[in-house]
Amino acid sequence: MIKGFIFDLDGVITDTAELHFAAWKELSDAMGWQFDRELNDSLRGISRMDSIKAIMDHNKVDLEPGQVGELAERKNKIYVDSLEGMTEQDYLPGARELLTHLRNEGFAVALGSSSKNAVKVLQRLNAIRYFDFIGDGNTVAKSKPAPDIFLYAAQQLKLPADQCLVIEDAEKGIDAARAGGFHCVGIGPEERVGHADLRFDSMGEATLFEVKSHFKDLF
Ligand code: G6P
Ligand code: MG
């Protein structure tokens, strides 16, 4: 039986995936690095430091660890500044409805994000209240595709993995959910999240009714 839901944040609850893209693009342009949407898509779900290393690898750039840290910090500043204008209006369509519905039906709900800025984003959205537990980029050491963040969140919800459903927009997020033995819903195109148990193009389609209809035997 499914008793809990674990949500990714960026690209699931709100469109910060786009703000992460813009911030990496600004840094890459300043550094003369190539950066496009395809590369950005491969970074969905992975930590800030893993992301900058992937961008540098892609550009065949090698820098001192201290410098890499500074550049990651620079990107973060651009990203955090871009959160300034975020309000309660900035949920992805369908996300707030799903969270509300789950709470009303008594499901346990956790966040399982790789972002160290997750609490800040949830505060801007006034979304803290929907969660029994908030797992973010500070919670576990290994980021997605390792299952650690989801396993930790499930433990906090006092549920085994197979009683939880993970909602993710990242290829590496679905990898993480599967590696941990979770049921999972992918949000996005087939090429990115086609390996999820169930996939929707957008959050707007991911209603509790649709999810229940698919996982019939589990509700
Ligand atoms: C999420 C996003 C990634 C981002 C990561 C770290 O998983 O999908 O694009 O790089 O969080 O975010 P942070 O806010 O800690 O830099
Ligand atoms: Mg995401």
Side-chain angles (χ1 to χ4, degrees):
M1 294 298 282
I2 288 175
K3 299 204 172 113
F5 282 70
I6 305 177
F7 282 76
D8 174 49
L9 174 67
D10 299 299
V12 167
I13 294 175
T14 181
D15 200 12
T16 35
E18 199 52 35
L19 300 179
H20 279 293
F21 169 76
W24 284 125
K25 179 83 179 118
E26 190 176 326
L27 178 74
S28 298
D29 286 352
M31 298 301 291
W33 297 345
Q34 197 268 341
F35 187 75
D36 57 21
R37 287 198 179 266
E38 195 187 336
L39 179 55
N40 184 65
D41 259 6
S42 73
L43 307 179
R44 279 179 194 248
I46 69 174
S47 71
R48 195 184 309 158
M49 287 311 286
D50 287 348
S51 300
I52 191 158
K53 285 176 195 152
I55 297 171
M56 287 171 49
D57 280 351
H58 179 84
N59 283 275
K60 303 191 172 49
V61 173
D62 201 11
L63 298 171
E64 296 292 309
Q67 246 179 313
V68 180
E70 274 170 34
L71 290 174
E73 192 38 57
R74 195 162 136 196
K75 177 267 173 179
N76 191 52
K77 172 131 194 3
I78 302 169
Y79 173 67
V80 170
D81 284 351
S82 73
L83 295 175
E84 273 299 299
M86 182 177 266
T87 71
E88 277 194 65
Q89 309 305 316
D90 290 316
Y91 285 83
L92 273 167
R96 180 165 31 192
E97 292 75 4
L98 180 58
L99 286 164
T100 306
H101 206 164
L102 291 173
R103 298 270 45 165
N104 290 344
E105 293 221 356
F107 287 98
V109 179
L111 189 83
S113 167
S114 307
S115 172
K116 295 190 169 167
N117 296 299
V119 169
K120 200 175 292 166
V121 171
L122 291 180
Q123 280 168 340
R124 290 234 150 246
L125 295 168
N126 192 16
I128 300 276
R129 60 206 160 126
Y130 296 118
F131 297 92
D132 298 301
F133 172 72
I134 294 171
D136 66 11
N138 305 297
T139 307
V140 294
K142 269 202 274 176
S143 100
K144 302 166 192 175
D148 302 29
I149 185 69
F150 295 140
L151 290 170
Y152 192 89
Q155 205 184 346
Q156 294 301 307
L157 296 180
K158 299 192 172 53
L159 293 172
D162 65 357
Q163 290 184 15
C164 298
L165 204 150
V166 166
I167 307 191
E168 257 293 347
D169 69 311
E171 182 180 351
K172 308 248 178 8
I174 298 295
D175 293 342
R178 295 183 64 104
F182 293 87
H183 305 283
C184 54
V185 173
I187 307 296
E190 177 75 31
E191 315 82 82
R192 199 169 78 212
V193 290
H195 52 320
D197 299 318
L198 171 64
R199 186 192 69 82
F200 297 104
D201 286 326
S202 66
M203 272 305 279
E205 295 157 53
T207 60
L208 186 52
F209 178 82
E210 287 296 331
V211 170
K212 279 185 171 175
S213 327
H214 180 85
F215 295 98
K216 268 190 216 71
D217 305 339
L218 294 172
F219 284 93

